[in-house]
Structures are given as C-alpha cells and as structure tokens.
Amino acid sequence: MSEQLPPSGPAPLPPDPPGSAAPPNPRDSQGSLLGGIGLAWAIMIGGSLIVGPINIAFWLAPPVAILIVAVLFLTNGRTRTGRGMLLGLASIVAVVLLLVAACFGLLMSGGGIGG
C-alpha cells in the first residue's frame, strides 16, 4: 500500500464571503490629475462663452471660479483633482501669455495693422 502525502505548498485561501468588497485604494479617492486639468479648461471655456458677451468686466469670473472649485476639491480630500485644476489654471495663463506675446510680435513687426 502506498501512503498519501499531504499536498505541498501553501494552503488555498477560503473564498470571500458574498457582499464583501476589496478595500478601497486611497489613491482612487483622491481624484484624477488629468480630470482636474480638463475640468479647469472646461470651466474656463464655458465661463468665457457665457460671460464674454455680457460684459468685459466679468472676464475674471472663470479663473476665480476655477480657484474656488480647486480649493473645494483640496479641502474635501480630492487632492489630485484640486492640484490638477491648479495646473490647468497655470496652463491657461501660459497659453494666454504666449498668445499675447505673439500678437505684440506681429504688431511690432509691422505685419499686424495696415502694413
């Protein structure tokens, strides 16, 4: 007669009880960096389309709204989304500065008005 040897290796884990979920990843609850950048651009473009035709004095409303929403995200624990919104605002400022510089370059070179 042959003896049966116990199986080698670690014992299999018991199955999870129904209804139990894996513990949440803390990084998932902090939001998305790219989502924050996209949200900042969406607020800026949408706000400019809404506020632009009304009055030029309200053009600072979309950037202020971005700052307020970013602070709300940062204080509520969605830190990656809040940081993404601040990065989005910085990229908006950089694009505006580049466009203004290009316009001044055209005007100073004589290629802009009346040549």
Side-chain angles (χ1 to χ4, degrees):
M1 284 181 77
S2 67
E3 283 184 35
Q4 289 189 350
L5 296 173
S8 61
L13 295 174
D16 290 336
S20 68
N25 186 357
R27 190 172 178 174
D28 291 342
S29 64
Q30 293 177 355
S32 166
L33 196 64
L34 290 176
I37 293 171
L39 186 59
W41 274 94
I43 290 173
M44 188 67 188
I45 292 171
S48 296
L49 290 175
I50 293 170
V51 177
I54 297 173
N55 192 348
I56 198 167
F58 293 118
W59 278 8
L60 285 178
V64 171
I66 292 171
L67 282 176
I68 291 171
V69 174
V71 168
L72 287 175
F73 274 126
L74 287 169
T75 56
N76 288 332
R78 308 247 341 166
T79 55
R80 288 180 58 84
T81 304
R83 280 189 244 146
M85 290 191 72
L86 294 176
L87 281 172
L89 183 61
S91 69
I92 291 167
V93 170
V95 167
V96 168
L97 286 175
L98 287 172
L99 290 174
V100 168
C103 289
F104 274 113
L106 283 173
L107 288 175
M108 293 301 155
S109 69
I113 298 178

Coordinates of all heavy atoms in Angstrom, one line a residue:
M1 N 0.8 -1.2 0.0 CA 0.0 0.0 0.0 C 0.9 1.2 0.0 O 1.9 1.3 0.6 CB -0.9 0.0 1.2 CG -2.0 -0.9 1.1 SD -3.1 -1.0 2.4 CE -4.1 0.3 2.5
S2 N 0.4 2.2 -0.7 CA 1.1 3.4 -0.7 C 0.5 4.5 0.2 O -0.7 4.6 0.3 CB 1.2 4.0 -2.2 OG -0.1 4.4 -2.5
E3 N 1.4 5.3 0.8 CA 0.9 6.3 1.6 C 0.6 7.6 0.8 O 1.3 7.9 -0.1 CB 2.0 6.6 2.7 CG 2.1 5.7 3.8 CD 3.1 6.1 4.8 OE1 3.2 7.3 5.0 OE2 3.8 5.3 5.3
Q4 N -0.4 8.3 1.2 CA -0.7 9.5 0.6 C 0.0 10.6 1.3 O -0.1 10.8 2.5 CB -2.2 9.8 0.5 CG -2.9 8.9 -0.5 CD -4.3 9.4 -0.6 OE1 -4.8 10.2 0.1 NE2 -5.0 8.8 -1.6
L5 N 0.8 11.4 0.6 CA 1.5 12.6 1.2 C 0.6 13.8 1.2 O -0.2 14.0 0.2 CB 2.8 12.8 0.4 CG 3.8 11.7 0.5 CD1 5.0 12.1 -0.5 CD2 4.3 11.5 1.9
P6 N 0.7 14.6 2.2 CA -0.1 15.9 2.1 C 0.4 16.8 1.0 O 1.6 16.7 0.6 CB 0.2 16.5 3.5 CG 1.5 15.9 4.0 CD 1.6 14.5 3.4
P7 N -0.5 17.6 0.4 CA -0.1 18.4 -0.7 C 1.0 19.4 -0.2 O 0.9 19.9 0.9 CB -1.4 19.1 -1.1 CG -2.3 19.0 0.1 CD -1.9 17.8 0.8
S8 N 1.9 19.7 -1.1 CA 3.0 20.6 -0.8 C 2.5 22.0 -1.2 O 1.7 22.2 -2.1 CB 4.3 20.2 -1.5 OG 4.1 20.3 -2.8
G9 N 3.1 23.0 -0.6 CA 2.8 24.4 -0.9 C 1.8 25.0 0.0 O 1.3 24.4 1.0
P10 N 1.5 26.3 -0.1 CA 0.6 27.0 0.8 C -0.8 26.5 0.7 O -1.2 26.1 -0.4 CB 0.7 28.4 0.4 CG 1.2 28.4 -1.0 CD 2.0 27.2 -1.1
A11 N -1.5 26.5 1.7 CA -2.9 26.1 1.7 C -3.7 27.2 1.0 O -3.5 28.4 1.0 CB -3.5 26.0 3.1
P12 N -4.7 26.8 0.2 CA -5.6 27.7 -0.5 C -6.4 28.6 0.4 O -6.8 28.1 1.5 CB -6.5 26.9 -1.4 CG -6.5 25.6 -0.8 CD -5.2 25.4 -0.1
L13 N -6.6 29.9 0.0 CA -7.3 30.8 0.9 C -8.8 30.5 0.7 O -9.3 30.1 -0.4 CB -7.1 32.2 0.4 CG -5.6 32.7 0.6 CD1 -5.5 34.1 0.0 CD2 -5.3 32.7 2.1
P14 N -9.6 30.7 1.8 CA -11.0 30.4 1.7 C -11.6 31.5 0.8 O -11.1 32.7 0.7 CB -11.5 30.5 3.1 CG -10.5 31.3 3.8 CD -9.2 31.0 3.1
P15 N -12.7 31.2 0.1 CA -13.3 32.3 -0.8 C -13.9 33.4 0.1 O -14.3 33.2 1.2 CB -14.4 31.5 -1.5 CG -14.7 30.3 -0.6 CD -13.4 30.0 0.1
D16 N -14.0 34.6 -0.5 CA -14.5 35.8 0.1 C -16.0 35.6 0.3 O -16.7 35.0 -0.6 CB -14.3 37.0 -0.7 CG -12.8 37.4 -0.7 OD1 -12.1 37.0 0.2 OD2 -12.4 38.1 -1.7
P17 N -16.6 36.0 1.5 CA -18.0 35.9 1.6 C -18.7 36.8 0.7 O -18.2 37.9 0.3 CB -18.2 36.3 3.1 CG -17.0 37.1 3.5 CD -15.9 36.6 2.6
P18 N -19.9 36.5 0.2 CA -20.6 37.3 -0.7 C -20.9 38.7 -0.1 O -21.2 38.8 1.1 CB -21.9 36.6 -1.0 CG -22.0 35.5 0.0 CD -20.7 35.3 0.6
G19 N -20.8 39.7 -0.9 CA -21.1 41.1 -0.5 C -19.9 41.8 0.1 O -20.0 43.0 0.4
S20 N -18.8 41.1 0.2 CA -17.6 41.8 0.7 C -16.8 42.3 -0.5 O -16.7 41.7 -1.5 CB -16.7 40.9 1.5 OG -16.1 39.9 0.7
A21 N -16.3 43.5 -0.3 CA -15.6 44.2 -1.4 C -14.1 44.3 -1.0 O -13.8 44.3 0.2 CB -16.2 45.5 -1.7
A22 N -13.3 44.5 -1.9 CA -11.9 44.7 -1.6 C -11.7 46.1 -1.0 O -12.5 47.0 -1.3 CB -11.0 44.7 -2.9
P23 N -10.7 46.3 -0.1 CA -10.6 47.6 0.5 C -10.3 48.7 -0.6 O -9.6 48.4 -1.5 CB -9.4 47.5 1.4 CG -8.7 46.2 1.0 CD -9.7 45.4 0.3
P24 N -10.8 49.9 -0.4 CA -10.6 50.9 -1.5 C -9.2 51.4 -1.5 O -8.5 51.4 -0.5 CB -11.6 52.0 -1.1 CG -11.8 51.8 0.4 CD -11.7 50.3 0.6
N25 N -8.7 51.6 -2.7 CA -7.4 52.2 -2.8 C -7.4 53.6 -2.5 O -8.2 54.4 -3.0 CB -6.9 52.0 -4.3 CG -5.5 52.4 -4.5 OD1 -4.8 52.8 -3.6 ND2 -5.0 52.1 -5.7
P26 N -6.6 54.1 -1.6 CA -6.6 55.5 -1.2 C -6.3 56.5 -2.3 O -6.8 57.6 -2.4 CB -5.6 55.7 -0.1 CG -4.9 54.4 0.0 CD -5.6 53.4 -0.8
R27 N -5.6 56.0 -3.3 CA -5.2 56.9 -4.4 C -6.5 57.1 -5.3 O -6.6 58.2 -5.9 CB -4.1 56.2 -5.2 CG -3.6 57.1 -6.3 CD -2.4 56.5 -6.9 NE -1.9 57.4 -7.9 CZ -0.8 57.3 -8.6 NH1 0.0 56.3 -8.4 NH2 -0.4 58.1 -9.5
D28 N -7.4 56.1 -5.4 CA -8.6 56.3 -6.2 C -9.5 57.4 -5.6 O -10.2 58.1 -6.4 CB -9.4 55.0 -6.3 CG -8.6 53.9 -7.1 OD1 -7.7 54.3 -7.8 OD2 -9.0 52.7 -6.9
S29 N -9.5 57.5 -4.3 CA -10.4 58.5 -3.7 C -9.9 59.9 -3.8 O -10.6 60.9 -3.4 CB -10.7 58.1 -2.3 OG -9.5 58.2 -1.5
Q30 N -8.7 60.1 -4.2 CA -8.1 61.4 -4.3 C -8.4 62.1 -5.6 O -8.0 63.3 -5.8 CB -6.6 61.4 -4.1 CG -6.2 60.9 -2.7 CD -4.7 60.8 -2.5 OE1 -3.9 61.0 -3.5 NE2 -4.3 60.6 -1.3
G31 N -9.0 61.4 -6.6 CA -9.3 62.1 -7.8 C -8.3 61.8 -8.9 O -7.4 61.0 -8.8
S32 N -8.4 62.6 -10.0 CA -7.6 62.4 -11.1 C -6.9 63.8 -11.5 O -7.6 64.8 -11.6 CB -8.4 62.0 -12.3 OG -7.7 62.1 -13.5
L33 N -5.6 63.7 -11.7 CA -4.9 64.9 -12.1 C -5.3 65.4 -13.5 O -5.6 66.6 -13.7 CB -3.4 64.6 -12.1 CG -2.4 65.7 -12.2 CD1 -2.5 66.5 -10.9 CD2 -1.0 65.2 -12.3
L34 N -5.4 64.5 -14.5 CA -5.9 64.9 -15.8 C -7.3 65.4 -15.8 O -7.7 66.3 -16.5 CB -5.7 63.8 -16.8 CG -4.3 63.4 -17.1 CD1 -4.2 62.2 -18.0 CD2 -3.6 64.6 -17.8
G35 N -8.1 64.8 -14.9 CA -9.5 65.2 -14.8 C -9.6 66.6 -14.3 O -10.5 67.4 -14.7
G36 N -8.7 67.0 -13.4 CA -8.7 68.3 -12.8 C -8.3 69.3 -13.9 O -8.8 70.4 -14.0
I37 N -7.3 69.0 -14.7 CA -6.8 69.9 -15.8 C -8.0 70.1 -16.8 O -8.3 71.2 -17.2 CB -5.6 69.3 -16.5 CG1 -4.4 69.4 -15.5 CG2 -5.2 70.1 -17.7 CD1 -3.1 68.6 -16.0
G38 N -8.6 69.0 -17.2 CA -9.7 69.1 -18.1 C -10.9 69.9 -17.5 O -11.5 70.7 -18.3
L39 N -11.2 69.7 -16.3 CA -12.3 70.5 -15.6 C -11.9 72.0 -15.6 O -12.8 72.8 -15.8 CB -12.5 69.9 -14.2 CG -13.7 70.5 -13.4 CD1 -15.0 70.3 -14.2 CD2 -13.7 69.9 -12.1
A40 N -10.7 72.3 -15.3 CA -10.3 73.7 -15.3 C -10.5 74.3 -16.7 O -11.0 75.5 -16.9 CB -8.8 73.9 -14.9
W41 N -10.0 73.6 -17.8 CA -10.2 74.1 -19.1 C -11.7 74.2 -19.5 O -12.1 75.2 -20.1 CB -9.5 73.2 -20.1 CG -8.0 73.6 -20.3 CD1 -7.0 73.1 -19.6 CD2 -7.5 74.6 -21.1 NE1 -5.8 73.7 -20.0 CE2 -6.1 74.7 -20.9 CE3 -8.1 75.5 -22.0 CZ2 -5.3 75.6 -21.6 CZ3 -7.2 76.4 -22.7 CH2 -5.9 76.4 -22.5
A42 N -12.5 73.3 -19.0 CA -13.9 73.3 -19.3 C -14.6 74.5 -18.6 O -15.4 75.2 -19.3 CB -14.6 72.0 -18.9
I43 N -14.2 74.8 -17.4 CA -14.8 75.9 -16.7 C -14.4 77.2 -17.4 O -15.2 78.1 -17.6 CB -14.3 75.9 -15.2 CG1 -15.0 74.8 -14.5 CG2 -14.6 77.2 -14.5 CD1 -14.5 74.6 -13.0
M44 N -13.1 77.3 -17.8 CA -12.6 78.5 -18.5 C -13.3 78.7 -19.8 O -13.7 79.8 -20.1 CB -11.1 78.4 -18.7 CG -10.5 79.7 -19.1 SD -10.6 80.9 -17.9 CE -10.0 82.3 -18.7
I45 N -13.4 77.7 -20.6 CA -14.0 77.9 -21.9 C -15.5 78.1 -21.8 O -16.1 79.1 -22.4 CB -13.7 76.6 -22.8 CG1 -12.2 76.6 -23.2 CG2 -14.6 76.7 -24.1 CD1 -11.8 75.3 -23.8
G46 N -16.2 77.3 -21.0 CA -17.6 77.5 -20.8 C -17.9 78.9 -20.1 O -18.9 79.5 -20.5
G47 N -17.2 79.2 -19.1 CA -17.4 80.5 -18.5 C -17.1 81.7 -19.4 O -17.9 82.7 -19.4
S48 N -16.1 81.6 -20.3 CA -15.9 82.7 -21.2 C -17.0 82.8 -22.3 O -17.3 83.9 -22.7 CB -14.5 82.4 -21.9 OG -13.5 82.5 -21.0
L49 N -17.5 81.7 -22.7 CA -18.6 81.7 -23.6 C -19.9 82.3 -23.0 O -20.7 83.0 -23.7 CB -18.9 80.3 -24.2 CG -17.9 79.7 -25.1 CD1 -18.3 78.3 -25.4 CD2 -17.7 80.5 -26.3
I50 N -20.1 82.0 -21.7 CA -21.3 82.6 -21.1 C -21.1 84.0 -20.7 O -22.0 84.9 -20.9 CB -21.6 81.7 -19.8 CG1 -22.0 80.3 -20.2 CG2 -22.7 82.4 -18.9 CD1 -22.1 79.3 -19.1
V51 N -19.9 84.4 -20.1 CA -19.7 85.7 -19.5 C -19.2 86.7 -20.6 O -19.5 87.9 -20.5 CB -18.7 85.6 -18.3 CG1 -18.4 87.0 -17.8 CG2 -19.3 84.7 -17.3
G52 N -18.5 86.2 -21.6 CA -17.9 87.1 -22.6 C -18.8 88.1 -23.3 O -18.5 89.3 -23.3
P53 N -20.0 87.6 -23.8 CA -20.8 88.6 -24.4 C -21.5 89.5 -23.5 O -22.0 90.6 -23.9 CB -21.9 87.7 -25.1 CG -21.3 86.3 -25.1 CD -20.4 86.2 -24.0
I54 N -21.6 89.2 -22.2 CA -22.3 90.1 -21.3 C -21.5 91.4 -21.0 O -22.0 92.5 -21.3 CB -22.6 89.3 -19.9 CG1 -23.5 88.1 -20.2 CG2 -23.2 90.3 -18.9 CD1 -23.6 87.2 -19.0
N55 N -20.3 91.3 -20.5 CA -19.5 92.4 -20.2 C -18.1 92.0 -20.0 O -17.8 91.0 -19.4 CB -20.1 93.0 -18.9 CG -19.5 94.4 -18.6 OD1 -18.6 94.9 -19.2 ND2 -20.1 95.1 -17.6
I56 N -17.2 92.9 -20.4 CA -15.7 92.6 -20.3 C -15.3 92.6 -18.9 O -14.3 92.0 -18.5 CB -14.9 93.6 -21.2 CG1 -13.5 93.0 -21.5 CG2 -14.8 94.9 -20.6 CD1 -12.8 93.7 -22.5
A57 N -16.0 93.3 -18.0 CA -15.6 93.3 -16.6 C -15.8 92.0 -15.9 O -15.1 91.8 -14.9 CB -16.5 94.4 -15.9
F58 N -16.5 91.1 -16.4 CA -16.7 89.8 -15.8 C -15.8 88.7 -16.3 O -15.9 87.5 -16.0 CB -18.2 89.3 -16.1 CG -19.2 90.1 -15.4 CD1 -20.2 90.8 -16.1 CD2 -19.2 90.2 -14.0 CE1 -21.1 91.6 -15.5 CE2 -20.2 91.0 -13.4 CZ -21.1 91.7 -14.1
W59 N -14.7 89.1 -17.1 CA -13.8 88.1 -17.6 C -13.0 87.4 -16.6 O -12.4 86.4 -16.8 CB -12.9 88.7 -18.7 CG -13.6 88.8 -20.0 CD1 -14.9 88.5 -20.3 CD2 -13.0 89.2 -21.2 NE1 -15.1 88.7 -21.6 CE2 -13.9 89.1 -22.3 CE3 -11.7 89.5 -21.6 CZ2 -13.7 89.4 -23.6 CZ3 -11.4 89.9 -22.9 CH2 -12.4 89.8 -23.9
L60 N -12.9 88.0 -15.4 CA -12.1 87.4 -14.3 C -13.0 86.3 -13.5 O -12.4 85.6 -12.7 CB -11.6 88.4 -13.3 CG -10.4 89.2 -13.8 CD1 -10.0 90.3 -12.7 CD2 -9.3 88.4 -14.1
A61 N -14.2 86.2 -13.9 CA -15.1 85.3 -13.1 C -14.7 83.8 -13.4 O -14.6 83.0 -12.4 CB -16.6 85.5 -13.5
P62 N -14.4 83.4 -14.6 CA -14.0 81.9 -14.8 C -12.7 81.6 -14.0 O -12.7 80.5 -13.4 CB -13.9 81.8 -16.3 CG -14.8 82.8 -16.9 CD -14.7 84.0 -15.9
P63 N -11.6 82.4 -14.1 CA -10.4 82.0 -13.3 C -10.7 81.9 -11.8 O -10.2 81.1 -11.1 CB -9.4 83.0 -13.6 CG -9.8 83.6 -14.9 CD -11.3 83.5 -15.0
V64 N -11.5 82.9 -11.3 CA -11.9 82.9 -9.9 C -12.7 81.6 -9.5 O -12.5 81.0 -8.5 CB -12.6 84.2 -9.5 CG1 -13.1 84.1 -8.1 CG2 -11.6 85.4 -9.6
A65 N -13.6 81.3 -10.4 CA -14.4 80.0 -10.2 C -13.5 78.8 -10.2 O -13.7 77.9 -9.4 CB -15.4 79.9 -11.3
I66 N -12.5 78.8 -11.1 CA -11.5 77.6 -11.0 C -10.8 77.6 -9.7 O -10.6 76.5 -9.1 CB -10.5 77.8 -12.2 CG1 -11.2 77.6 -13.5 CG2 -9.4 76.8 -12.1 CD1 -10.4 77.9 -14.7
L67 N -10.4 78.7 -9.2 CA -9.7 78.7 -7.9 C -10.6 78.3 -6.8 O -10.2 77.5 -5.9 CB -9.2 80.1 -7.6 CG -7.9 80.6 -8.3 CD1 -7.6 82.0 -8.0 CD2 -6.7 79.7 -7.9
I68 N -11.8 78.7 -6.8 CA -12.8 78.3 -5.7 C -13.1 76.8 -5.8 O -13.0 76.1 -4.8 CB -14.1 79.1 -5.9 CG1 -13.8 80.6 -5.5 CG2 -15.2 78.6 -5.0 CD1 -15.0 81.5 -5.8
V69 N -13.3 76.3 -7.0 CA -13.6 74.9 -7.1 C -12.3 74.0 -6.7 O -12.5 73.0 -6.1 CB -14.1 74.5 -8.5 CG1 -14.2 73.0 -8.7 CG2 -15.4 75.2 -8.8
A70 N -11.2 74.5 -7.1 CA -9.9 73.8 -6.7 C -9.7 73.7 -5.2 O -9.4 72.7 -4.7 CB -8.7 74.4 -7.4
V71 N -10.0 74.8 -4.5 CA -9.9 74.9 -3.1 C -10.9 73.9 -2.5 O -10.6 73.2 -1.5 CB -10.0 76.3 -2.6 CG1 -10.2 76.3 -1.1 CG2 -8.8 77.1 -3.0
L72 N -12.1 73.9 -3.0 CA -13.1 73.0 -2.5 C -12.7 71.5 -2.7 O -12.9 70.7 -1.7 CB -14.5 73.2 -3.2 CG -15.2 74.5 -2.8 CD1 -16.5 74.7 -3.7 CD2 -15.6 74.5 -1.4
F73 N -12.1 71.2 -3.8 CA -11.6 69.8 -4.0 C -10.5 69.5 -3.0 O -10.4 68.4 -2.5 CB -11.2 69.6 -5.4 CG -12.3 69.2 -6.4 CD1 -12.5 70.0 -7.6 CD2 -13.1 68.2 -6.2 CE1 -13.5 69.6 -8.5 CE2 -14.1 67.8 -7.0 CZ -14.3 68.5 -8.2
L74 N -9.6 70.5 -2.8 CA -8.4 70.2 -2.0 C -8.9 70.0 -0.5 O -8.3 69.2 0.2 CB -7.5 71.4 -2.1 CG -6.6 71.4 -3.4 CD1 -5.9 72.8 -3.4 CD2 -5.7 70.3 -3.4
T75 N -9.9 70.8 -0.1 CA -10.3 70.7 1.3 C -11.2 69.4 1.6 O -11.3 69.0 2.7 CB -11.1 71.9 1.8 OG1 -12.2 72.1 0.9 CG2 -10.2 73.1 1.8
N76 N -11.8 68.9 0.5 CA -12.7 67.7 0.7 C -12.0 66.4 0.4 O -12.6 65.4 0.3 CB -13.9 67.8 -0.3 CG -14.9 68.9 0.2 OD1 -14.9 69.2 1.4 ND2 -15.6 69.5 -0.7
G77 N -10.6 66.4 0.3 CA -9.9 65.2 0.2 C -9.6 64.8 -1.3 O -8.9 63.8 -1.5
R78 N -10.1 65.4 -2.3 CA -9.8 65.1 -3.7 C -8.6 65.9 -4.1 O -8.7 66.8 -5.0 CB -11.0 65.4 -4.5 CG -12.3 64.8 -4.0 CD -13.0 63.7 -4.8 NE -12.6 63.6 -6.1 CZ -13.0 62.5 -6.8 NH1 -13.6 61.5 -6.2 NH2 -12.7 62.4 -8.1
T79 N -7.5 65.6 -3.5 CA -6.3 66.5 -3.7 C -5.7 66.4 -5.1 O -5.2 67.4 -5.6 CB -5.2 66.1 -2.6 OG1 -5.0 64.7 -2.8 CG2 -5.7 66.4 -1.2
R80 N -5.8 65.2 -5.7 CA -5.2 65.2 -7.1 C -6.0 66.0 -8.0 O -5.5 66.6 -8.9 CB -5.1 63.7 -7.5 CG -4.0 62.9 -6.8 CD -3.9 61.5 -7.2 NE -3.7 61.3 -8.6 CZ -2.5 61.3 -9.2 NH1 -1.4 61.5 -8.5 NH2 -2.4 61.1 -10.5
T81 N -7.4 66.0 -7.9 CA -8.2 66.8 -8.8 C -8.0 68.3 -8.5 O -7.9 69.1 -9.4 CB -9.7 66.4 -8.6 OG1 -9.9 65.0 -8.8 CG2 -10.6 67.2 -9.5
G82 N -7.9 68.6 -7.2 CA -7.6 70.0 -6.9 C -6.3 70.5 -7.5 O -6.2 71.6 -8.0
R83 N -5.2 69.7 -7.3 CA -3.9 70.1 -7.9 C -4.0 70.1 -9.4 O -3.4 71.0 -10.1 CB -2.9 69.1 -7.5 CG -2.3 69.3 -6.1 CD -1.1 68.4 -5.8 NE -1.6 67.5 -4.7 CZ -1.2 66.3 -4.6 NH1 -0.3 65.8 -5.4 NH2 -1.6 65.6 -3.6
G84 N -4.8 69.2 -10.0 CA -4.9 69.2 -11.5 C -5.6 70.5 -11.9 O -5.3 71.1 -13.0
M85 N -6.6 71.0 -11.2 CA -7.2 72.2 -11.5 C -6.3 73.4 -11.4 O -6.3 74.3 -12.3 CB -8.5 72.5 -10.7 CG -9.6 71.5 -11.0 SD -11.1 71.9 -10.2 CE -11.6 73.3 -11.2
L86 N -5.4 73.4 -10.4 CA -4.4 74.5 -10.3 C -3.4 74.4 -11.5 O -3.0 75.4 -12.0 CB -3.7 74.4 -9.0 CG -4.6 74.7 -7.7 CD1 -3.8 74.6 -6.5 CD2 -5.2 76.1 -7.8
L87 N -3.0 73.2 -11.8 CA -2.2 73.0 -13.0 C -2.9 73.5 -14.3 O -2.2 74.1 -15.2 CB -1.7 71.6 -13.1 CG -0.6 71.1 -12.2 CD1 -0.4 69.6 -12.3 CD2 0.7 71.9 -12.6
G88 N -4.1 73.2 -14.4 CA -4.9 73.6 -15.5 C -5.0 75.1 -15.6 O -4.9 75.7 -16.7
L89 N -5.2 75.8 -14.5 CA -5.2 77.3 -14.5 C -3.8 77.8 -14.9 O -3.7 78.8 -15.6 CB -5.6 77.8 -13.1 CG -5.7 79.3 -12.9 CD1 -6.8 79.8 -13.9 CD2 -6.0 79.6 -11.5
A90 N -2.8 77.2 -14.4 CA -1.4 77.6 -14.8 C -1.2 77.5 -16.3 O -0.6 78.3 -17.0 CB -0.4 76.9 -14.0
S91 N -1.7 76.4 -16.9 CA -1.6 76.2 -18.3 C -2.4 77.2 -19.1 O -2.0 77.6 -20.2 CB -1.9 74.7 -18.7 OG -3.3 74.5 -18.6
I92 N -3.5 77.6 -18.6 CA -4.4 78.6 -19.2 C -3.6 79.9 -19.2 O -3.6 80.6 -20.3 CB -5.7 78.7 -18.5 CG1 -6.6 77.4 -18.8 CG2 -6.5 79.9 -19.0 CD1 -7.8 77.3 -17.9
V93 N -3.0 80.3 -18.1 CA -2.3 81.5 -18.0 C -1.1 81.5 -19.0 O -0.8 82.5 -19.7 CB -1.8 81.8 -16.6 CG1 -0.8 82.9 -16.5 CG2 -3.0 82.1 -15.7
A94 N -0.4 80.3 -19.1 CA 0.7 80.2 -20.0 C 0.3 80.4 -21.5 O 0.9 81.1 -22.3 CB 1.4 78.9 -19.8
V95 N -0.8 79.8 -21.8 CA -1.3 79.9 -23.2 C -1.7 81.4 -23.5 O -1.4 81.9 -24.6 CB -2.5 79.0 -23.4 CG1 -3.3 79.3 -24.7 CG2 -2.0 77.5 -23.5
V96 N -2.4 82.0 -22.6 CA -2.7 83.4 -22.8 C -1.5 84.3 -22.9 O -1.4 85.2 -23.8 CB -3.6 83.9 -21.6 CG1 -3.8 85.4 -21.6 CG2 -5.0 83.3 -21.6
L97 N -0.5 84.1 -22.1 CA 0.8 84.8 -22.3 C 1.4 84.6 -23.6 O 1.9 85.6 -24.2 CB 1.7 84.5 -21.1 CG 1.4 85.1 -19.8 CD1 2.4 84.6 -18.7 CD2 1.4 86.6 -19.8
L98 N 1.4 83.4 -24.1 CA 2.0 83.1 -25.4 C 1.2 83.8 -26.5 O 1.8 84.3 -27.5 CB 2.1 81.6 -25.6 CG 3.2 80.9 -24.8 CD1 3.0 79.4 -25.0 CD2 4.6 81.3 -25.2
L99 N -0.1 83.8 -26.4 CA -0.9 84.4 -27.4 C -0.7 85.9 -27.4 O -0.6 86.6 -28.5 CB -2.4 84.0 -27.3 CG -2.7 82.6 -27.6 CD1 -4.2 82.3 -27.2 CD2 -2.5 82.3 -29.0
V100 N -0.6 86.5 -26.3 CA -0.4 88.0 -26.2 C 1.0 88.3 -26.7 O 1.1 89.3 -27.5 CB -0.6 88.4 -24.7 CG1 -0.1 89.9 -24.5 CG2 -2.0 88.3 -24.3
A101 N 2.0 87.5 -26.4 CA 3.3 87.8 -26.9 C 3.3 87.7 -28.5 O 4.0 88.5 -29.1 CB 4.3 86.8 -26.3
A102 N 2.6 86.7 -29.0 CA 2.6 86.6 -30.5 C 1.9 87.8 -31.1 O 2.3 88.3 -32.1 CB 1.8 85.3 -30.8
C103 N 0.8 88.2 -30.5 CA 0.1 89.4 -31.0 C 1.0 90.7 -31.0 O 1.0 91.4 -31.9 CB -1.2 89.7 -30.2 SG -2.4 88.4 -30.5
F104 N 1.7 90.9 -29.9 CA 2.6 92.0 -29.8 C 3.8 91.9 -30.8 O 4.2 92.9 -31.4 CB 3.2 92.2 -28.4 CG 2.3 93.0 -27.5 CD1 1.7 92.4 -26.4 CD2 2.1 94.3 -27.7 CE1 0.9 93.1 -25.6 CE2 1.3 95.1 -26.9 CZ 0.7 94.5 -25.8
G105 N 4.2 90.7 -31.0 CA 5.3 90.4 -32.0 C 4.8 90.8 -33.4 O 5.5 91.4 -34.2
L106 N 3.6 90.5 -33.7 CA 3.0 90.8 -35.0 C 2.8 92.3 -35.2 O 3.1 92.9 -36.2 CB 1.7 90.1 -35.3 CG 1.7 88.7 -35.6 CD1 0.3 88.1 -35.7 CD2 2.4 88.5 -37.0
L107 N 2.3 93.0 -34.1 CA 2.1 94.4 -34.2 C 3.4 95.2 -34.3 O 3.5 96.2 -35.0 CB 1.3 94.9 -33.0 CG -0.1 94.5 -32.9 CD1 -0.8 94.9 -31.6 CD2 -0.9 95.1 -34.1
M108 N 4.5 94.7 -33.6 CA 5.7 95.5 -33.6 C 6.5 95.2 -34.8 O 7.3 96.1 -35.2 CB 6.6 95.0 -32.4 CG 6.0 95.5 -31.0 SD 5.8 97.3 -31.0 CE 4.6 97.5 -29.8
S109 N 6.3 94.1 -35.5 CA 7.0 93.9 -36.8 C 6.3 94.5 -38.0 O 6.8 94.5 -39.1 CB 7.1 92.4 -37.0 OG 5.8 91.8 -37.3
G110 N 5.2 95.2 -37.8 CA 4.5 95.8 -38.8 C 3.6 94.9 -39.6 O 3.0 95.4 -40.6
G111 N 3.4 93.7 -39.2 CA 2.6 92.8 -40.0 C 1.2 92.7 -39.5 O 0.4 92.0 -40.1
G112 N 0.9 93.5 -38.5 CA -0.5 93.3 -37.9 C -1.5 94.3 -38.5 O -2.6 93.8 -38.9
I113 N -1.2 95.6 -38.5 CA -2.3 96.5 -38.8 C -1.8 97.4 -40.0 O -0.7 98.0 -39.9 CB -2.6 97.4 -37.6 CG1 -3.2 96.6 -36.5 CG2 -3.6 98.5 -38.0 CD1 -3.5 97.4 -35.3
G114 N -2.5 97.4 -41.0 CA -2.3 98.4 -42.1 C -1.0 98.3 -42.9 O -0.8 99.1 -43.8
G115 N -0.1 97.5 -42.5 CA 1.2 97.3 -43.2 C 1.6 98.3 -44.1 O 2.0 99.0 -44.7

